[in-house]
Amino acid sequence: MALDDLYREIILEHFRSPRNKGRLDNPDVFAEGVNPLCGDEVCLGLALLGDRVQEVRVEGHGCSISQASCSMMSEAIKGRTLAEVEGLAQAFKGQMLGGEPADPAVDLGDLEALEGVKQFPVRIKCALLAWNTLLGGLASRAHGEREVKLVEE
Ligand code: ZN
């Protein structure tokens, strides 16, 4: 199977069976993100234990890239410290936006499957929505807020 086909399969599999779907009752971090260009939406809730992501739930709708990216992100960050999450986010964004060589120390797991998306600039926002929403949520938490809504431009 060609790599592109394999990646497409992984993306569709996450889209059809999203991981960590749903909502948390009392999230420590809650963020909504919207990508109006494509009509993608995501609601992200995190439960923290100390500085570690204990639980994550994602709800959303939109294109397969955006929703698969949410699902992959939720798997990638669960159980990680906030510093590790930040590192993953920067690594993924660096890879998506190009220009940055992949850091062999950072294992992006299924997220690698989104690499092909960067050939399609208009879809990059779809892939990044989950991560930008996550980073926005963490930033607003640092400012003492528990909820934030972000709109991609
Ligand atoms: Zn999209």
Side-chain angles (χ1 to χ4, degrees), residues 35 38 40 62-63 65-66 123 126:
N35 172 20
C38 182
D40 306 317
C63 70
I65 303 275
S66 69
R123 309 312 296 279
C126 302

Side-chain angles (χ1 to χ4, degrees), residues 14-15 18-21 33 40-44 56-77 92 111 114 126-131 133-134:
H14 275 273
F15 179 57
R19 319 294 196 271
N20 303 300
K21 188 178 169 65
D40 306 317
E41 289 184 31
V42 51
C43 293
L44 174 70
V56 49
R57 288 282 186 279
V58 187
E59 258 184 356
H61 55 87
C63 70
S64 58
I65 303 275
S66 69
Q67 301 307 307
S69 181
C70 288
S71 171
M72 292 171 183
M73 177 200 68
S74 74
E75 278 196 317
I77 67 172
F92 182 68
L111 289 164
L114 290 169
C126 302
L128 289 182
L129 179 64
W131 292 93
T133 304
L134 171 68

